[in-house]
Amino acid sequence: MRLSARPIAALVAALALTAGLSITGTPAVARPDDRAAAAEASDVSIAADTYTWKNARIDGGGFVPGIVFNRSEKNLAYARTDIGGAYRWDQAGKRWTPLLDWVDWDRWGWSGVVSLASDTAEPDNVYAAVGTYTNSWDPTNGAVLRSSDRGASWKAATLPFKLGGNMPGRGMGERLAVDPNKNSVLYLGAPSGNGLWRSTDSGATWSEVTAFPNPGNYAQDPSDTSGYGNDNQGIVWVTFDERSGSAGSTTQDIYVGVADKENTVYRSTDGGSTWSRIAGQPTGYLAHKGVLDSSTGHLYLTLSDTGGPYDGAKGRIWRYDTESGAWTDVSPVAEADTYYGFGGISVDRQKPGTLMATAYSSWWPDTQIFRSTDSGATWTQAWDYSSYPNRSNRYTLDVSSVPWLSWGANPSPPETAPKLGWMTESLEIDPFDSDRMMYGTGATVYGTEDLTSWDSGGTFTITPMVKGLEETAVNDLASPPSGAPLLSALGDIGGFRHTDLDAVPAMMFTSPNLDSTTSLDFAEASPGTVVRVGNADTAPHIGFSTDNGANWFQGSEPSGVTGGGTVAAAADGSGFVWSPEGAGVHHTTGYGTSWTASTGIPAGATVESDRKNPKKFYGFSAGTFYVSTDGGATFTAKATGLPAEGNVRFKALPGTEGDIWLAGGAPTGAYGLWRSTDSGASFTRFSGVEQADSVGFGKAAPGASYQAVFVSAKIGGVRGIFRSTDAGAGWTRINDDAHQWAWTGAAITGDPRVYGRVYVSTNGRGIQVGESSDTDGPGTDPGPGTDPGTDPGEPPADADCSVAYTVTNRWSGGFQAEVKLTNTGTAAYDGWKLGWTFPGDQRIGQIWNASHQQTGAKVTVTDAGWNGKVAPGSSAAFGFTGTTTGDGTAPGAFTLGGEACAVG
């Protein structure tokens, strides 16, 4: 589950309804029909090193509020998450493929998906309504993304209001729907009193349906002044009755769910021109879902007394006969026996009258799933009491592929471990296969492929169907020099010890179980010693390990602790310094059997340790750096003038005393990257780094004397993940526009054992692992023939090169191309100019990762500065869009500094 996971920095910190820019898997550029759009993705891709990216496998870890099957193509399904983007099901691999990793830093809110819609008429089309918060936490308005290639690339229509993928009520839906008969028509239910919206041009533009009479009035907590709990949850679902239209004509009967307990269902019978409240409907509840069984003409509502997804104390299921207008309460249990609301509901498209529903807010002892084969007249349950507290289950739950789903628990009956689920707001029966069903929980996607065994009295098997869907929010990362390569601090599920990045760990950290781990550290010279702190309902908030995180024991804590804060381990493991929430900074020797308040440092300061001197610890608060030389007992204020706003994170270089890198700040004040080589007495800012949010270290490049430095930063006007192999003198962007993961500011670290490997935190897309193709490293010697006084556009003397020119896309009158320049010589380039002559009338329009001049057919492309240094064996890449009346034939020859390059 997740109540309000969001980029912390975002909390500190008249749009036209026109088609947005194309967002593609390779650098996002404007397609011809989108040139007028205001918002655009970054124009920078990879630099001199090419990285491959993957997740450190956890499998799941967050709430999946929506699963959508396409009704006309088998095995085409999508899932949406509240903060971690959208996914498409890959049947061959039995895994999910992420679709929104291109979402950039400035539009991080677009990683929250409030609704998905898959086009029945044209299955290649998919739509996503995106935006994470409707209040000030999210700086950008929402958008409807549209794709004609199943999410491989997207265009965006920005809305004049915000959407709330991580707001209360996010499990209701789907708010976005495509007319099954006329697929150019879409509807979107908006929150915050913004009403019902419609597009008639396949999602390119949107306008409000002014005839719709009710924008909703329900808020989870009207007394909340933050804009979170007191937001009107608005229009929550749209359902078409496809029988009331024909191919190419607008569907006439449309049903809409509204967050209004007295008026929760409306209908149009004239294609959306007029609307009216359906008479006789149930009151006192909110309809979370409205699903129509076209074979029987029954509209089913799952109702709850709240909007969910984690609250709800009463619920009902009602059936509406669209022919007769009769309403029938078909709830599986009496109202007095409910202590939960009903959420997920699905009808079996192969078996008219068969439907299933979930008790989404039944936390104890477990969630419940109900099934009916007679249109709701009678129901059976996934589990019953055989003799309280013992249970009789109709299913077996096999979590061997994701074993941590048991939470390491051993509860007493009637609870079980693992649980059947919680926050089960979405359940879908495969429209082509009555045996397959998937449902989302607060932590995973479960499913079965032998569902109909339920009806024959047998048991069916439920397993995680979540591979590839990585939804954790990452707070901290550590990569020790020995033992497991990766330790993580995560929101909601604590954290993991990864001994194999491609395998799901057996269990999250336990003893203690922390709801969210906020900080962890290991002793640099004794990496078996690990400490972690975090948030929990009750004490303890701290745990220790002496075997590199394989096993843990609980620590004591100072009086007044309310949250994890930050923690640091002495270089030799002899002591610890902790800055928890609710109490001031404290220090201890041993493993925290007693804590003593530190002096000279304010409460709430961020703390870290020196990675060589075990007596030296560091702290930071409100623009001032603090140093302790007595194990954290006393701190002294040192450097000032550092960022006083925003979030600041700093790390000390392993193996070297007093070498500290500090990243952070806010756009309204100081913001960037600083370094101290005198234990924090003074800092020097890196002038070329405009913004930075996290910094970490990894194994030095071959031949380099300084460890590789990794930052999540803005350099040269470009946001990305950067690496330096020369102590910050030069930087290489190592991610690309297809791999941005929205917000990456919480933590970053290299691997001290593998050159180039980096671990990057995300806020909803798990732990990203980057592997460099530049295994030999760029080196540090610029090589012979490099004269600082020569033209930086020319490579070193006798340098060799090869060029790969690829046309990646064509359309009428235009094309897109990518060019890769490889240094095939023995000396590094220190700046480059690449030339060629176009065949025909081709002209470059927009270019990224470089600049260009063109005279007639002759083109000269110059590096962008940050990618001008290209080591032997490495490459620099750039791309562009062009215009032509021909077919965009590739040039046949290229020159670098006037010398010919190989082609291929």
Side-chain angles (χ1 to χ4, degrees):
M1 61 169 289
R2 182 176 295 102
L3 302 187
S4 58
R6 57 187 177 272
I8 298 173
L11 302 181
V12 190
L15 292 172
L17 289 178
T18 56
L21 291 188
S22 168
I23 316 290
T24 61
T26 50
V29 297
R31 290 183 179 172
D33 59 336
D34 294 313
R35 298 185 187 278
E40 67 179 87
S42 165
D43 281 340
V44 177
S45 185
I46 56 174
D49 189 8
T50 302
Y51 264 62
T52 57
W53 295 93
K54 65 181 180 182
N55 276 100
R57 278 191 67 190
I58 293 169
D59 285 16
F63 181 35
V64 181
I67 298 169
V68 175
F69 279 90
N70 185 277
R71 294 269 304 278
S72 62
E73 181 174 320
K74 188 175 182 179
N75 295 323
L76 180 57
Y78 297 88
R80 63 178 171 96
T81 70
D82 50 7
I83 65 171
Y87 294 80
R88 183 183 63 246
W89 178 251
D90 171 20
Q91 178 64 19
K94 295 292 183 75
R95 60 179 297 140
W96 296 95
T97 300
L99 302 178
L100 299 184
D101 283 357
W102 53 265
V103 173
D104 58 25
W105 179 278
D106 291 334
R107 294 176 294 184
W108 60 261
W110 288 10
S111 61
V113 184
V114 72
S115 191
L116 277 173
S118 182
D119 188 342
T120 300
E122 295 183 74
D124 285 346
N125 296 339
V126 63
Y127 301 85
V130 297
T132 301
Y133 298 102
T134 61
N135 62 2
S136 61
W137 298 346
D138 192 334
T140 56
N141 279 3
V144 176
L145 307 179
R146 62 192 191 277
S147 172
S148 58
D149 52 16
R150 306 180 184 222
S153 64
W154 298 87
K155 296 181 181 180
T158 306
L159 300 166
F161 50 83
K162 297 182 179 183
L163 295 176
N166 198 36
M167 294 291 288
R170 59 191 180 273
M172 296 194 282
E174 293 291 320
R175 297 173 183 258
L176 183 64
V178 184
D179 188 323
N181 290 302
K182 189 172 184 178
N183 65 340
S184 59
V185 175
L186 293 89
Y187 283 86
L188 171 67
S192 312
N194 289 305
L196 181 67
W197 287 67
R198 177 169 52 210
S199 172
T200 58
D201 55 7
S202 300
T205 62
W206 292 82
S207 58
E208 186 176 2
V209 181
T210 56
F212 194 81
N214 187 352
N217 60 19
Y218 174 81
Q220 180 193 64
D221 180 6
S223 66
D224 179 12
T225 59
S226 71
Y228 185 75
N230 61 336
D231 184 57
N232 175 5
Q233 294 181 15
I235 312 298
V236 296
W237 53 262
V238 179
T239 296
F240 292 92
D241 186 345
E242 63 260 39
R243 301 170 305 167
S244 62
S246 57
S249 65
T250 302
T251 299
Q252 296 300 294
D253 292 355
I254 312 168
Y255 297 85
V256 172
V258 180
D260 178 344
K261 289 187 177 182
E262 301 306 308
N263 309 280
T264 196
V265 189
Y266 287 78
R267 178 177 61 181
S268 173
T269 58
D270 54 11
S273 296
T274 61
W275 301 84
S276 60
R277 178 188 185 275
I278 303 180
Q281 66 182 262
T283 59
Y285 288 98
L286 301 175
H288 278 222
K289 310 276 186 183
V291 174
L292 195 143
D293 187 342
S294 58
S295 297
T296 62
H298 291 150
L299 174 71
Y300 296 95
L301 307 182
T302 46
L303 300 130
S304 174
D305 59 347
T306 68
Y310 30 79
D311 55 0
K314 290 292 179 182
R316 311 304 296 146
I317 300 176
W318 279 73
R319 184 184 71 207
Y320 177 67
D321 189 322
T322 59
E323 299 299 328
S324 68
W327 285 96
T328 306
D329 184 343
V330 293
S331 303
V333 296
E335 183 178 41
D337 293 334
T338 61
Y339 53 91
Y340 46 77
F342 291 98
I345 188 167
S346 181
V347 299
D348 188 336
R349 304 292 175 180
Q350 299 294 316
K351 295 184 175 182
T354 295
L355 64 151
M356 297 178 70
T358 66
Y360 77 89
S361 56
S362 178
W363 292 80
W364 189 93
D366 208 341
T367 200
Q368 185 60 275
I369 300 175
F370 303 89
R371 182 172 171 88
S372 173
T373 58
D374 53 13
S375 299
T378 61
W379 298 82
T380 51
Q381 301 181 164
W383 59 269
D384 296 281
Y385 288 114
S386 54
S387 175
Y388 186 86
N390 297 314
R391 285 167 48 169
S392 173
N393 297 333
R394 295 179 183 272
Y395 65 89
T396 58
L397 181 52
D398 178 5
V399 298
S400 56
S401 63
V402 190
W404 60 262
L405 284 167
S406 72
W407 253 257
N410 187 27
S412 299
E415 283 193 277
T416 62
K419 285 193 172 187
L420 188 58
W422 61 93
M423 293 171 66
T424 50
E425 283 271 37
S426 182
L427 179 149
E428 296 295 330
I429 302 170
D430 186 333
F432 292 91
D433 184 354
S434 298
D435 268 319
R436 181 160 70 171
M437 175 269 289
M438 295 182 185
Y439 66 98
T441 79
T444 193
V445 176
Y446 279 131
T448 182
E449 293 183 331
D450 58 354
L451 178 60
T452 57
S453 295
W454 181 320
D455 303 326
S456 61
T459 58
F460 61 98
T461 301
I462 297 175
T463 60
M465 290 186 177
V466 74
K467 184 178 180 181
L469 195 157
E470 297 283 349
E471 202 193 343
T472 49
V474 185
N475 295 324
D476 203 1
L477 296 168
S479 184
S482 62
L486 179 63
L487 307 173
S488 59
L490 306 178
D492 294 334
I493 59 173
F496 292 91
R497 179 179 189 258
H498 266 94
T499 57
D500 182 346
L501 301 174
D502 296 314
V504 177
M507 191 54 55
M508 72 274 287
F509 299 142
T510 59
S511 300
N513 285 77
L514 300 175
D515 297 337
S516 292
T517 302
T518 57
S519 175
L520 58 80
D521 195 16
F522 63 90
E524 189 67 42
S526 180
T529 300
V530 188
V531 60
R532 60 185 168 93
V533 295
N535 302 329
D537 291 336
T538 59
H541 296 83
I542 187 168
F544 296 93
S545 174
T546 58
D547 57 6
N548 192 242
N551 297 281
W552 294 85
F553 56 92
Q554 300 175 356
S556 65
E557 59 186 45
S559 176
V561 172
T562 59
T566 57
V567 70
D572 62 356
S574 59
F576 304 88
V577 172
W578 185 14
S579 179
E581 294 180 17
V585 178
H586 284 69
H587 67 100
T588 186
T589 56
Y591 293 102
T593 54
S594 64
W595 293 88
T596 304
S598 303
T599 61
I601 186 171
T606 300
V607 296
E608 296 282 355
S609 65
D610 190 85
R611 309 311 285 182
K612 186 173 184 180
N613 184 340
K615 293 296 185 181
K616 190 171 287 188
F617 288 83
Y618 305 112
F620 177 87
S621 179
T624 300
F625 200 80
Y626 298 85
V627 180
S628 172
T629 58
D630 55 8
T634 61
F635 282 82
T636 302
K638 294 292 186 178
T640 59
L642 297 167
E645 300 178 75
N647 292 284
V648 172
R649 299 167 180 85
F650 64 94
K651 293 290 183 183
L653 186 74
T656 302
E657 184 174 350
D659 193 342
I660 305 157
W661 293 62
L662 182 146
T668 54
Y671 198 176
L673 182 68
W674 288 258
R675 181 186 176 194
S676 173
T677 57
D678 55 11
S679 298
S682 62
F683 280 83
T684 300
R685 181 172 181 173
F686 287 88
S687 60
V689 181
E690 298 149 65
Q691 299 177 359
D693 291 86
S694 57
V695 60
F697 309 99
K699 184 177 181 179
S705 59
Y706 199 86
Q707 294 178 41
V709 184
F710 296 92
V711 291
S712 174
K714 185 178 183 179
I715 300 175
V718 178
R719 258 287 172 187
I721 307 301
F722 291 85
R723 185 194 68 203
S724 176
T725 59
D726 52 11
W731 296 94
T732 296
R733 187 188 181 201
I734 58 175
N735 70 319
D736 55 60
D737 284 355
H739 302 89
Q740 299 190 78
W741 317 291
W743 193 78
T744 56
I748 191 170
T749 185
D751 192 309
R753 289 171 272 187
V754 180
Y755 167 67
R757 179 183 291 171
V758 62
Y759 306 105
V760 178
S761 70
T762 74
N763 188 60
R765 272 288 287 126
I767 304 165
Q768 298 295 329
V769 182
E771 301 279 7
S772 172
S773 64
D774 189 7
T775 54
D776 294 332
T780 55
D781 182 357
T786 302
D787 179 357
T790 61
D791 180 357
E794 293 192 12
D798 302 321
D800 294 321
C801 53
S802 68
V803 175
Y805 182 105
T806 305
V807 176
T808 59
N809 197 7
R810 287 187 173 89
W811 54 87
S812 178
F815 66 99
Q816 178 178 329
E818 293 183 354
V819 183
K820 181 178 180 181
L821 167 65
T822 300
N823 184 345
T824 59
T826 58
Y829 301 166
D830 189 9
W832 47 266
K833 287 184 178 179
L834 186 67
W836 70 79
T837 300
F838 271 132
D841 63 351
Q842 301 177 50
R843 293 197 64 84
I844 292 178
Q846 182 186 31
I847 193 168
W848 51 92
N849 304 341
S851 60
H852 81 288
Q853 291 183 333
Q854 182 170 355
T855 303
K858 297 185 67 173
V859 177
T860 301
V861 176
T862 305
D863 65 83
W866 54 266
N867 62 349
K869 293 184 178 180
V870 185
S874 296
S875 302
F878 61 91
F880 62 87
T881 56
T883 60
T884 182
T885 58
D887 59 2
T889 303
F894 299 86
T895 60
L896 186 67
E899 299 181 13
C901 291
V903 180

